[in-house]
Amino acid sequence: MKAAIVRQAGQSPVYGEFPEPVIAPGESRITVTAASISNIAKSRASGAHYSSSGEFPLVAGIDGVGRLDDGRRVYFALPHPLYGSMCERTVAPTTQCLPVPEELDDVMAAAIANPGLSSWAAFCERARLKAGETVLVNGATGMAGQLAVQIAKHLGAGKVIATGRNADTLRALAGAGADVTIRLTGDGDAMERSFMAQFAEGIDVVIDYLWGASAERLLIAAARAGADGVPIRFVQVGSVSGQEIMLPSAVLRASAIELMGSGIGSIALERLVSLTGEVLRAAAFRGIRIAVDPVPLSRVVEAWSKSGSASRTVLTIDAKGA
């Protein structure tokens, strides 16, 4: 079958032939129609992600949309590590195959499920967001961050603060649910002052997609300006700006910050699958959307190298793998 094949750790996928998957008990075969190129898909394919299997060669991709042998249209997550999702056919645990609402086409469902889950799980499962609370999304100009702003409002946040580097996207977010926007710049002290002004007014939940310098400044600002004894749930989701930070110990002693992560391992897999179903239903019935860029599987080399926050690239697969 045709597939996006990663032959060694650190290499980009190439378009070629890969052996057909073999179904094991408890698995379903899926004829794939769409698979999104997400940050986690890239990280796992490179072997760098903490959940990578370390086995090569493999087919790239961690999720997608397709049809079961009985014709049902499903979203599937975490297929067999060697077969991935960027191929004509794959296998995944039957319990990790979810029906796709009719209101969502294959490309949009594939595009929105993973980035939407990142904030949905963080808000609902880790932060336990309550209606009326104030949320800050750090790194809101990326695809997942843009969805996080929409999802926060959908889940009842009273105020949403969006941070990011892209000024145009921040302006667009002001019309898509963000009540306050903060431009991330190279001036760390200025960023910290902007953060402190918001923490002084009250922030309940921070969803962080960046880590690195902005996360350091956020945590320090929270400790300096947050109200004594009032919890601030800081949920770490992504590390676009860096894998490590330098955090003074006094930040945690002098505040009620609750620092936690959200991702594979911090939430039970069956719960993540269930939450993904909630994301797809919200996208279908509440009109939550992102910009998408469909590209044929045969152009995976070109598509893999694309970057930016303007749209989510989705590989499309027809009966011929094109």
Side-chain angles (χ1 to χ4, degrees), residues 5-96:
I5 306 163
V6 181
R7 302 201 183 280
Q8 294 182 8
Q11 292 186 354
S12 297
V14 296
Y15 182 65
E17 293 283 344
F18 200 79
E20 290 275 350
V22 178
I23 302 176
E27 293 181 333
S28 292
R29 179 167 52 195
I30 303 112
T31 298
V32 185
T33 55
S36 173
I37 300 180
S38 59
N39 287 334
I40 186 174
K42 286 187 172 183
S43 183
R44 282 187 59 146
S46 72
H49 195 265
Y50 65 85
S51 66
S52 299
S53 69
E55 298 181 69
F56 294 91
L58 54 77
V59 174
I62 65 160
D63 64 348
V65 174
R67 293 190 179 275
L68 302 178
D69 288 346
D70 63 9
R72 283 180 293 161
R73 191 168 69 115
V74 297
Y75 165 82
F76 62 94
L78 298 177
H80 188 287
L82 293 184
Y83 298 116
S85 61
M86 298 174 186
C87 52
E88 292 182 282
R89 286 167 294 280
T90 192
V91 292
T94 302
T95 55
Q96 290 163 213

Coordinates of all heavy atoms in Angstrom, one line a residue, residues 5-96:
I5 N 6.5 7.1 4.8 CA 7.3 6.1 5.5 C 8.5 6.9 6.1 O 9.2 7.6 5.4 CB 7.9 5.0 4.5 CG1 6.7 4.3 3.8 CG2 8.7 4.0 5.3 CD1 7.1 3.5 2.6
V6 N 8.8 6.7 7.4 CA 9.9 7.2 8.1 C 10.9 6.0 8.2 O 10.6 5.1 9.0 CB 9.6 7.8 9.4 CG1 10.8 8.4 10.1 CG2 8.5 8.9 9.3
R7 N 12.0 6.1 7.6 CA 13.0 5.0 7.6 C 13.9 4.9 8.8 O 14.3 3.9 9.3 CB 13.8 4.9 6.3 CG 12.9 4.9 5.1 CD 13.6 4.4 3.9 NE 12.7 4.4 2.7 CZ 11.8 3.5 2.4 NH1 11.6 2.5 3.2 NH2 11.1 3.6 1.3
Q8 N 14.3 6.1 9.3 CA 15.2 6.2 10.5 C 14.8 7.4 11.3 O 14.2 8.3 10.8 CB 16.6 6.3 10.0 CG 17.2 5.1 9.3 CD 18.6 5.3 8.9 OE1 19.3 6.3 9.3 NE2 19.2 4.4 8.2
A9 N 15.2 7.3 12.6 CA 14.9 8.4 13.5 C 15.5 9.7 13.0 O 16.7 9.7 12.5 CB 15.4 8.1 14.9
G10 N 14.8 10.8 13.0 CA 15.3 12.1 12.6 C 15.1 12.4 11.1 O 15.3 13.5 10.7
Q11 N 14.6 11.4 10.4 CA 14.4 11.6 8.9 C 12.9 12.0 8.7 O 12.0 11.6 9.4 CB 14.7 10.3 8.1 CG 16.1 10.0 8.1 CD 16.4 8.8 7.2 OE1 15.5 8.2 6.6 NE2 17.7 8.5 7.0
S12 N 12.7 12.8 7.6 CA 11.3 13.1 7.2 C 10.8 11.9 6.5 O 11.5 11.1 5.9 CB 11.3 14.4 6.3 OG 11.8 15.5 7.1
P13 N 9.4 11.8 6.4 CA 8.8 10.7 5.7 C 9.0 10.9 4.2 O 9.0 12.0 3.7 CB 7.4 10.8 6.1 CG 7.1 12.2 6.6 CD 8.4 12.6 7.1
V14 N 9.0 9.7 3.5 CA 9.0 9.7 2.1 C 7.7 8.9 1.6 O 7.2 8.1 2.3 CB 10.3 9.1 1.5 CG1 11.5 9.9 1.9 CG2 10.4 7.6 2.0
Y15 N 7.3 9.2 0.4 CA 6.1 8.5 -0.2 C 6.6 7.2 -0.8 O 7.5 7.2 -1.6 CB 5.5 9.4 -1.2 CG 4.3 8.9 -1.9 CD1 3.1 8.6 -1.2 CD2 4.2 8.6 -3.3 CE1 2.0 8.2 -1.8 CE2 3.1 8.1 -3.9 CZ 2.0 7.9 -3.1 OH 0.8 7.4 -3.8
G16 N 6.0 6.1 -0.5 CA 6.4 4.8 -1.0 C 5.5 3.7 -0.6 O 4.4 3.9 -0.1
E17 N 6.0 2.5 -0.9 CA 5.2 1.2 -0.6 C 5.6 0.7 0.8 O 6.7 0.7 1.2 CB 5.5 0.2 -1.6 CG 5.0 0.5 -3.0 CD 3.5 0.3 -3.2 OE1 2.9 -0.4 -2.3 OE2 2.9 0.8 -4.2
F18 N 4.5 0.3 1.5 CA 4.7 -0.3 2.9 C 3.8 -1.5 3.0 O 2.7 -1.5 2.4 CB 4.3 0.8 3.9 CG 4.9 0.5 5.3 CD1 6.2 0.8 5.6 CD2 4.1 -0.1 6.3 CE1 6.7 0.6 6.8 CE2 4.6 -0.3 7.6 CZ 6.0 0.0 7.8
P19 N 4.2 -2.5 3.7 CA 3.4 -3.7 3.9 C 2.0 -3.4 4.4 O 1.8 -2.6 5.2 CB 4.2 -4.6 4.8 CG 5.6 -4.1 4.7 CD 5.5 -2.6 4.5
E20 N 1.0 -4.2 3.9 CA -0.3 -4.1 4.4 C -0.4 -4.4 5.9 O 0.3 -5.3 6.4 CB -1.3 -5.0 3.7 CG -1.5 -4.6 2.2 CD -2.6 -3.6 2.1 OE1 -3.3 -3.3 3.1 OE2 -2.8 -3.0 1.0
P21 N -1.2 -3.8 6.7 CA -1.3 -4.1 8.1 C -2.0 -5.4 8.3 O -2.9 -5.9 7.5 CB -2.2 -2.9 8.7 CG -3.0 -2.5 7.5 CD -2.1 -2.6 6.3
V22 N -1.7 -6.1 9.4 CA -2.3 -7.3 9.8 C -3.2 -7.0 11.1 O -2.7 -6.5 12.0 CB -1.3 -8.4 10.1 CG1 -1.9 -9.7 10.6 CG2 -0.4 -8.7 8.9
I23 N -4.4 -7.4 11.0 CA -5.4 -7.2 12.1 C -5.2 -8.2 13.2 O -5.1 -9.4 13.0 CB -6.8 -7.2 11.6 CG1 -7.1 -6.2 10.5 CG2 -7.8 -6.9 12.8 CD1 -8.4 -6.3 9.9
A24 N -5.0 -7.7 14.4 CA -4.9 -8.5 15.6 C -6.3 -8.4 16.4 O -7.1 -7.6 16.1 CB -3.8 -8.0 16.5
P25 N -6.5 -9.4 17.3 CA -7.8 -9.3 18.1 C -7.9 -8.0 18.8 O -6.9 -7.4 19.3 CB -7.6 -10.5 19.1 CG -6.6 -11.4 18.4 CD -5.7 -10.6 17.6
G26 N -9.1 -7.5 18.8 CA -9.4 -6.2 19.4 C -9.1 -5.0 18.5 O -9.3 -3.8 19.0
E27 N -8.6 -5.2 17.3 CA -8.3 -4.1 16.4 C -9.3 -4.1 15.2 O -10.0 -5.0 14.9 CB -6.9 -4.3 15.8 CG -5.8 -4.1 16.8 CD -4.4 -4.2 16.2 OE1 -4.3 -4.9 15.2 OE2 -3.5 -3.7 16.8
S28 N -9.4 -2.9 14.6 CA -10.2 -2.7 13.4 C -9.3 -2.2 12.3 O -8.4 -1.4 12.5 CB -11.3 -1.7 13.7 OG -12.3 -2.2 14.6
R29 N -9.6 -2.6 11.1 CA -8.9 -2.1 9.9 C -9.7 -0.8 9.4 O -10.9 -0.8 9.3 CB -8.9 -3.1 8.8 CG -8.1 -2.6 7.5 CD -7.8 -3.7 6.6 NE -9.0 -4.5 6.3 CZ -9.0 -5.7 5.8 NH1 -7.8 -6.3 5.5 NH2 -10.1 -6.4 5.5
I30 N -8.9 0.2 9.1 CA -9.5 1.5 8.6 C -8.9 1.8 7.2 O -7.7 1.8 7.1 CB -9.2 2.6 9.6 CG1 -9.7 2.3 11.0 CG2 -9.8 3.9 9.1 CD1 -8.6 2.1 12.0
T31 N -9.8 2.1 6.3 CA -9.3 2.6 5.0 C -9.3 4.1 5.2 O -10.3 4.8 5.4 CB -10.3 2.3 3.9 OG1 -10.3 0.8 3.8 CG2 -9.9 2.9 2.6
V32 N -8.1 4.7 5.2 CA -7.9 6.1 5.7 C -8.2 7.0 4.5 O -7.9 6.8 3.4 CB -6.4 6.3 6.1 CG1 -6.2 7.7 6.6 CG2 -6.0 5.3 7.1
T33 N -8.9 8.1 4.9 CA -9.2 9.2 3.9 C -8.5 10.5 4.3 O -8.3 11.3 3.3 CB -10.7 9.4 3.9 OG1 -11.2 9.7 5.2 CG2 -11.5 8.2 3.4
A34 N -8.2 10.8 5.5 CA -7.5 12.0 5.9 C -6.7 11.8 7.2 O -7.1 11.2 8.1 CB -8.6 13.1 6.1
A35 N -5.5 12.5 7.2 CA -4.6 12.4 8.4 C -3.9 13.7 8.5 O -3.3 14.2 7.5 CB -3.6 11.3 8.2
S36 N -3.9 14.3 9.7 CA -3.4 15.6 9.9 C -1.9 15.6 10.3 O -1.4 14.7 11.0 CB -4.2 16.3 11.1 OG -3.6 17.5 11.4
I37 N -1.2 16.6 9.7 CA 0.2 16.7 10.1 C 0.3 17.7 11.3 O 0.2 18.9 11.2 CB 1.1 17.3 9.0 CG1 1.0 16.4 7.8 CG2 2.5 17.5 9.4 CD1 1.8 16.8 6.6
S38 N 0.4 17.1 12.5 CA 0.4 17.9 13.8 C 1.8 17.9 14.3 O 2.7 17.1 13.9 CB -0.6 17.3 14.8 OG -0.2 15.9 15.0
N39 N 2.0 18.8 15.3 CA 3.3 18.8 16.0 C 3.7 17.5 16.6 O 4.8 17.0 16.6 CB 3.4 19.9 17.0 CG 3.4 21.3 16.4 OD1 3.9 21.5 15.3 ND2 3.0 22.3 17.1
I40 N 2.7 16.9 17.3 CA 3.0 15.6 17.9 C 3.2 14.5 16.9 O 4.1 13.6 17.1 CB 1.8 15.2 18.9 CG1 2.2 13.9 19.7 CG2 0.5 15.0 18.2 CD1 1.2 13.6 20.8
A41 N 2.5 14.5 15.8 CA 2.8 13.5 14.7 C 4.3 13.7 14.2 O 5.0 12.7 14.0 CB 1.9 13.7 13.6
K42 N 4.7 14.9 14.1 CA 6.1 15.1 13.6 C 7.1 14.7 14.7 O 8.1 14.0 14.4 CB 6.3 16.6 13.3 CG 5.7 17.1 12.0 CD 6.2 18.5 11.7 CE 5.7 19.0 10.3 NZ 6.2 20.3 10.0
S43 N 6.8 15.0 16.0 CA 7.7 14.6 17.1 C 7.8 13.1 17.2 O 8.9 12.6 17.4 CB 7.2 15.3 18.3 OG 8.1 15.0 19.4
R44 N 6.7 12.4 17.1 CA 6.7 11.0 17.3 C 7.4 10.3 16.1 O 8.2 9.4 16.3 CB 5.3 10.4 17.4 CG 4.7 10.6 18.8 CD 3.4 9.9 19.0 NE 3.5 8.5 18.8 CZ 2.7 7.6 19.4 NH1 1.9 8.0 20.3 NH2 2.8 6.3 19.1
A45 N 7.2 10.8 14.9 CA 7.8 10.3 13.7 C 9.4 10.4 13.8 O 10.1 9.6 13.3 CB 7.3 10.9 12.5
S46 N 9.8 11.5 14.4 CA 11.3 11.8 14.5 C 11.9 10.9 15.6 O 13.1 10.8 15.7 CB 11.5 13.2 14.8 OG 11.2 13.6 16.2
G47 N 11.1 10.3 16.5 CA 11.6 9.6 17.6 C 11.9 10.4 18.8 O 12.3 9.9 19.8
A48 N 11.6 11.7 18.8 CA 11.9 12.6 19.8 C 10.8 12.7 20.9 O 11.1 13.1 22.1 CB 12.1 14.1 19.3
H49 N 9.6 12.4 20.6 CA 8.5 12.5 21.6 C 8.6 11.4 22.7 O 9.0 10.3 22.4 CB 7.1 12.4 20.9 CG 6.0 12.9 21.7 ND1 5.2 12.0 22.5 CD2 5.5 14.1 21.9 CE1 4.3 12.7 23.1 NE2 4.4 14.0 22.7
Y50 N 8.2 11.8 23.9 CA 8.3 10.8 25.0 C 7.5 9.6 24.8 O 7.7 8.5 25.4 CB 7.9 11.5 26.3 CG 6.5 12.0 26.4 CD1 5.5 11.1 26.9 CD2 6.1 13.3 26.2 CE1 4.2 11.5 27.0 CE2 4.8 13.7 26.3 CZ 3.9 12.8 26.7 OH 2.6 13.3 26.8
S51 N 6.5 9.6 23.9 CA 5.6 8.4 23.7 C 6.1 7.7 22.4 O 5.4 6.7 22.0 CB 4.2 8.9 23.5 OG 4.0 9.7 22.4
S52 N 7.2 8.1 21.8 CA 7.6 7.4 20.5 C 8.0 5.9 20.9 O 8.5 5.6 21.9 CB 8.8 8.1 19.9 OG 8.5 9.4 19.6
S53 N 7.7 5.1 19.9 CA 8.0 3.6 20.1 C 9.5 3.3 19.9 O 10.0 2.3 20.5 CB 7.2 2.8 19.1 OG 7.7 3.0 17.8
G54 N 10.2 4.1 19.1 CA 11.6 3.8 18.8 C 11.9 2.8 17.8 O 13.0 2.4 17.4
E55 N 10.8 2.3 17.2 CA 10.9 1.2 16.1 C 10.8 1.9 14.7 O 10.0 2.8 14.5 CB 9.8 0.2 16.2 CG 9.8 -0.6 17.5 CD 8.7 -1.6 17.5 OE1 8.7 -2.6 16.7 OE2 7.7 -1.4 18.3
F56 N 11.7 1.5 13.8 CA 11.7 2.0 12.4 C 12.0 0.8 11.5 O 12.6 -0.2 11.9 CB 12.8 3.1 12.3 CG 12.5 4.3 13.1 CD1 13.0 4.5 14.4 CD2 11.8 5.3 12.5 CE1 12.8 5.6 15.1 CE2 11.5 6.5 13.3 CZ 12.0 6.6 14.6
P57 N 11.6 0.9 10.2 CA 10.8 2.0 9.6 C 9.3 1.9 10.1 O 8.9 0.9 10.6 CB 10.9 1.6 8.1 CG 11.0 0.2 8.1 CD 11.9 -0.2 9.3
L58 N 8.6 3.1 9.9 CA 7.2 3.1 10.4 C 6.5 4.1 9.4 O 7.1 4.9 8.7 CB 7.1 3.6 11.8 CG 7.8 4.9 12.3 CD1 7.1 6.1 11.8 CD2 8.0 4.9 13.8
V59 N 5.2 4.1 9.5 CA 4.3 5.0 8.8 C 4.0 6.2 9.8 O 3.7 6.0 10.9 CB 3.0 4.4 8.4 CG1 2.1 5.4 7.7 CG2 3.3 3.3 7.3
A60 N 4.2 7.4 9.3 CA 4.0 8.6 10.1 C 2.5 8.7 10.4 O 1.6 8.2 9.7 CB 4.5 9.8 9.4
G61 N 2.2 9.5 11.5 CA 0.8 9.9 11.8 C 0.3 9.2 13.0 O 0.5 8.0 13.2
I62 N -0.5 9.9 13.8 CA -1.0 9.4 15.1 C -2.5 9.3 15.1 O -3.1 8.7 16.0 CB -0.5 10.2 16.3 CG1 -1.1 11.6 16.3 CG2 1.0 10.2 16.4 CD1 -1.1 12.3 17.6
D63 N -3.2 9.9 14.1 CA -4.6 9.8 14.1 C -5.1 10.2 12.7 O -4.4 10.6 11.8 CB -5.3 10.7 15.1 CG -4.9 12.2 14.9 OD1 -4.1 12.5 14.0 OD2 -5.6 13.1 15.5
G64 N -6.4 10.0 12.5 CA -7.0 10.3 11.2 C -8.5 10.0 11.1 O -9.1 9.6 12.1
V65 N -9.0 10.0 9.9 CA -10.4 9.7 9.6 C -10.4 8.7 8.5 O -9.6 8.8 7.5 CB -11.2 11.0 9.3 CG1 -12.6 10.6 8.8 CG2 -11.2 11.9 10.4
G66 N -11.4 7.8 8.5 CA -11.5 6.8 7.5 C -12.7 6.0 7.7 O -13.6 6.4 8.4
R67 N -12.8 4.8 7.0 CA -14.0 4.0 7.1 C -13.5 2.6 7.5 O -12.5 2.0 7.1 CB -14.7 3.9 5.8 CG -15.3 5.2 5.4 CD -16.3 5.1 4.2 NE -16.9 6.4 3.9 CZ -18.0 6.9 4.5 NH1 -18.6 6.2 5.4 NH2 -18.5 8.1 4.2
L68 N -14.3 2.0 8.4 CA -14.1 0.6 8.8 C -14.6 -0.3 7.7 O -15.2 0.1 6.7 CB -14.9 0.3 10.1 CG -14.7 1.2 11.3 CD1 -15.6 0.8 12.4 CD2 -13.2 1.1 11.7
D69 N -14.3 -1.6 7.8 CA -14.6 -2.5 6.8 C -16.1 -2.6 6.5 O -16.6 -3.0 5.4 CB -14.1 -3.9 7.1 CG -12.6 -4.1 7.0 OD1 -12.0 -3.1 6.3 OD2 -12.0 -5.0 7.5
D70 N -16.9 -2.3 7.6 CA -18.4 -2.3 7.4 C -18.9 -1.0 6.9 O -20.2 -0.8 6.8 CB -19.1 -2.7 8.7 CG -18.8 -1.6 9.8 OD1 -18.3 -0.5 9.6 OD2 -19.2 -1.9 11.0
G71 N -18.0 0.0 6.5 CA -18.5 1.2 5.9 C -18.7 2.4 6.9 O -18.9 3.5 6.4
R72 N -18.6 2.2 8.2 CA -18.8 3.2 9.1 C -17.6 4.2 9.1 O -16.5 3.8 9.0 CB -19.0 2.7 10.5 CG -20.3 2.1 10.8 CD -20.4 1.6 12.2 NE -19.5 0.5 12.4 CZ -19.1 0.0 13.6 NH1 -19.4 0.7 14.7 NH2 -18.2 -1.0 13.7
R73 N -18.0 5.5 9.1 CA -17.0 6.6 9.1 C -16.5 6.9 10.5 O -17.4 7.1 11.4 CB -17.5 7.8 8.4 CG -16.4 8.9 8.1 CD -17.0 10.0 7.2 NE -18.0 10.8 7.9 CZ -17.9 12.1 8.2 NH1 -16.8 12.7 7.8 NH2 -18.8 12.7 8.8
V74 N -15.2 6.8 10.7 CA -14.7 7.0 12.1 C -13.5 7.9 12.1 O -12.8 8.0 11.2 CB -14.3 5.6 12.7 CG1 -15.5 4.7 12.9 CG2 -13.2 4.9 11.9
Y75 N -13.3 8.5 13.3 CA -12.0 9.1 13.7 C -11.3 8.0 14.5 O -11.9 7.4 15.3 CB -12.2 10.4 14.5 CG -10.9 10.8 15.2 CD1 -10.0 11.5 14.6 CD2 -10.7 10.4 16.5 CE1 -8.8 11.9 15.2 CE2 -9.5 10.8 17.2 CZ -8.6 11.6 16.5 OH -7.4 11.9 17.2
F76 N -10.0 7.8 14.2 CA -9.2 6.9 15.0 C -8.0 7.5 15.6 O -7.4 8.4 15.0 CB -8.9 5.7 14.1 CG -8.0 6.0 12.9 CD1 -6.6 5.9 13.0 CD2 -8.5 6.4 11.7 CE1 -5.8 6.2 12.0 CE2 -7.7 6.7 10.7 CZ -6.3 6.6 10.8
A77 N -7.6 7.1 16.7 CA -6.4 7.6 17.4 C -5.4 6.5 17.8 O -5.8 5.4 18.1 CB -6.8 8.4 18.7
L78 N -4.1 6.9 17.7 CA -3.0 6.0 18.1 C -3.2 4.6 17.5 O -3.3 3.6 18.2 CB -3.0 5.9 19.6 CG -2.7 7.2 20.4 CD1 -2.7 7.0 21.8 CD2 -1.3 7.8 19.9
P79 N -3.1 4.5 16.1 CA -3.1 3.2 15.5 C -1.8 2.5 15.8 O -0.9 3.0 16.5 CB -3.1 3.6 14.0 CG -2.5 5.0 13.9 CD -2.9 5.6 15.2
H80 N -1.7 1.3 15.3 CA -0.5 0.5 15.6 C 0.7 1.3 15.2 O 0.8 1.9 14.1 CB -0.5 -0.8 14.7 CG 0.6 -1.7 15.0 ND1 1.9 -1.5 14.6 CD2 0.6 -2.9 15.6 CE1 2.6 -2.5 15.0 NE2 1.9 -3.4 15.6
P81 N 1.7 1.4 16.1 CA 2.9 2.4 15.9 C 3.6 2.2 14.6 O 4.0 3.2 14.0 CB 3.8 2.0 17.1 CG 2.9 1.5 18.1 CD 1.9 0.7 17.4
L82 N 3.7 1.0 14.0 CA 4.4 0.8 12.8 C 3.6 1.3 11.6 O 4.1 1.7 10.6 CB 4.8 -0.7 12.6 CG 5.8 -1.2 13.6 CD1 6.2 -2.6 13.2 CD2 7.1 -0.3 13.6
Y83 N 2.2 1.2 11.7 CA 1.4 1.5 10.5 C 0.9 3.0 10.5 O 0.6 3.5 9.4 CB 0.2 0.6 10.5 CG 0.6 -0.8 10.3 CD1 0.3 -1.8 11.3 CD2 1.2 -1.3 9.2 CE1 0.6 -3.1 11.1 CE2 1.6 -2.6 9.0 CZ 1.3 -3.5 10.0 OH 1.7 -4.8 9.9
G84 N 0.9 3.7 11.6 CA 0.5 5.1 11.7 C -0.8 5.4 11.0 O -1.7 4.5 10.9
S85 N -1.0 6.6 10.5 CA -2.2 7.0 9.9 C -2.1 7.5 8.5 O -3.1 7.7 7.8 CB -2.9 8.0 10.8 OG -2.2 9.2 10.9
M86 N -0.9 7.9 8.1 CA -0.6 8.5 6.8 C -0.4 7.4 5.7 O 0.7 7.3 5.2 CB 0.5 9.5 6.9 CG 0.2 10.6 7.8 SD 1.6 11.8 8.1 CE 0.9 12.8 9.4
C87 N -1.4 6.6 5.5 CA -1.3 5.5 4.6 C -2.7 5.1 4.1 O -3.7 5.7 4.5 CB -0.7 4.3 5.3 SG -1.5 3.9 6.9
E88 N -2.8 4.2 3.1 CA -4.1 3.8 2.6 C -4.9 3.0 3.6 O -6.1 3.2 3.7 CB -3.9 3.0 1.3 CG -3.3 3.8 0.2 CD -3.1 3.0 -1.1 OE1 -2.2 2.2 -1.2 OE2 -4.0 3.1 -2.0
R89 N -4.2 2.2 4.3 CA -5.0 1.3 5.3 C -4.1 1.2 6.6 O -2.9 1.1 6.5 CB -5.3 0.0 4.8 CG -6.4 0.0 3.7 CD -6.5 -1.3 3.0 NE -5.4 -1.6 2.1 CZ -5.2 -1.0 0.9 NH1 -6.1 -0.1 0.5 NH2 -4.1 -1.3 0.2
T90 N -4.8 1.2 7.7 CA -4.1 1.0 9.0 C -5.0 0.2 9.9 O -6.1 -0.2 9.6 CB -3.7 2.3 9.6 OG1 -2.8 2.1 10.7 CG2 -5.0 3.1 10.1
V91 N -4.4 -0.1 11.1 CA -5.2 -0.8 12.1 C -5.1 -0.1 13.4 O -4.0 0.5 13.7 CB -4.8 -2.3 12.3 CG1 -5.1 -3.1 11.1 CG2 -3.3 -2.4 12.6
A92 N -6.2 0.0 14.2 CA -6.2 0.6 15.5 C -7.1 -0.1 16.4 O -8.0 -0.8 16.0 CB -6.7 2.1 15.3
P93 N -6.9 0.0 17.7 CA -7.8 -0.6 18.7 C -9.2 -0.2 18.4 O -9.5 1.0 18.2 CB -7.3 -0.2 20.0 CG -5.8 0.1 19.8 CD -5.7 0.7 18.4
T94 N -10.1 -1.1 18.4 CA -11.5 -0.8 18.1 C -12.1 0.2 19.1 O -12.9 1.1 18.7 CB -12.4 -2.1 18.2 OG1 -11.8 -3.0 17.2 CG2 -13.8 -1.8 17.8
T95 N -11.6 0.2 20.4 CA -12.0 1.1 21.4 C -11.6 2.5 21.1 O -12.0 3.5 21.8 CB -11.6 0.7 22.8 OG1 -10.1 0.5 22.7 CG2 -12.2 -0.6 23.2
Q96 N -10.6 2.7 20.2 CA -10.1 4.0 19.8 C -10.6 4.5 18.5 O -10.0 5.4 17.9 CB -8.6 4.0 19.9 CG -8.0 3.8 21.3 CD -6.6 3.4 21.5 OE1 -6.2 2.7 22.4 NE2 -5.8 3.8 20.5

